[in-house]
Amino acid sequence: MRATRATRALARLYEARPDAALSEAEVETALATAGAAVNKVTVYRLLDRFAAAGLLHKQVDAARVTRYVLAPQGGDGAAPRFECDDCHRQFRLSQGSAKVQTALKQVLQALATAGHESLAVDIAVHGRCADCAHPAGGAAA
């Protein structure tokens, strides 16, 4: 991958926001704000290249918007996440992650044993985030 201005800006964007799950439009806006304005096609190509290189993980949210997050380190597969059904923000779930990863590996191994190939697992828990469930004015005590 060439180290173009846009490529470096995308890498800096995810370094600054490691837990961000960004759509193409959000990435395009962030790159323009960072002084690396590129067109939509270039943004899609950059995101696809980062995903193909294993740097980003591509996932589709409940609103059918493709979002890109930093790929988990260490090759442990996709990190389970919580997605808010109201605001569509996503949060990585770290508690119990080792147990979830072990269960995912067992599922993938069982599927591979059955002859299936190119397996990927994406786990998302859906609900309402704390901010949407309890807005500042009406938070429960």
Side-chain angles (χ1 to χ4, degrees):
M1 189 176 328
R2 293 182 327 140
T4 64
R5 184 172 41 95
T7 302
R8 291 189 306 269
L10 182 61
R12 283 192 302 271
L13 171 63
Y14 279 98
E15 284 175 13
R17 300 172 62 186
D19 291 327
L22 303 173
S23 68
E24 178 281 329
E26 292 167 331
V27 169
E28 187 177 353
T29 300
L31 292 179
T33 301
V38 292
N39 64 39
K40 184 179 293 205
V41 172
T42 301
V43 172
Y44 276 116
R45 285 182 183 151
L46 282 172
L47 291 169
D48 283 342
R49 285 183 190 138
F50 272 63
L55 301 171
L56 293 178
H57 177 72
K58 186 176 179 179
Q59 58 197 30
V60 179
D61 68 15
R64 301 182 123 193
V65 174
T66 302
R67 296 187 176 278
Y68 296 83
V69 297
L70 275 178
Q73 299 301 310
D76 287 334
R81 66 189 190 282
F82 174 84
E83 181 183 335
C84 179
D85 290 332
D86 289 352
C87 69
H88 299 290
R89 284 186 302 161
Q90 296 184 14
F91 308 89
R92 284 196 176 161
L93 300 175
S94 57
Q95 189 175 27
S97 184
K99 289 180 182 179
V100 170
Q101 290 300 329
T102 299
L104 291 177
K105 286 178 185 175
Q106 291 173 344
V107 168
L108 290 173
Q109 184 176 14
L111 291 168
T113 301
H116 303 295
E117 297 178 3
S118 299
L119 303 171
V121 176
D122 188 19
I123 295 190
V125 176
H126 291 265
R128 293 177 68 207
C129 70
D131 290 342
C132 291
H134 307 287

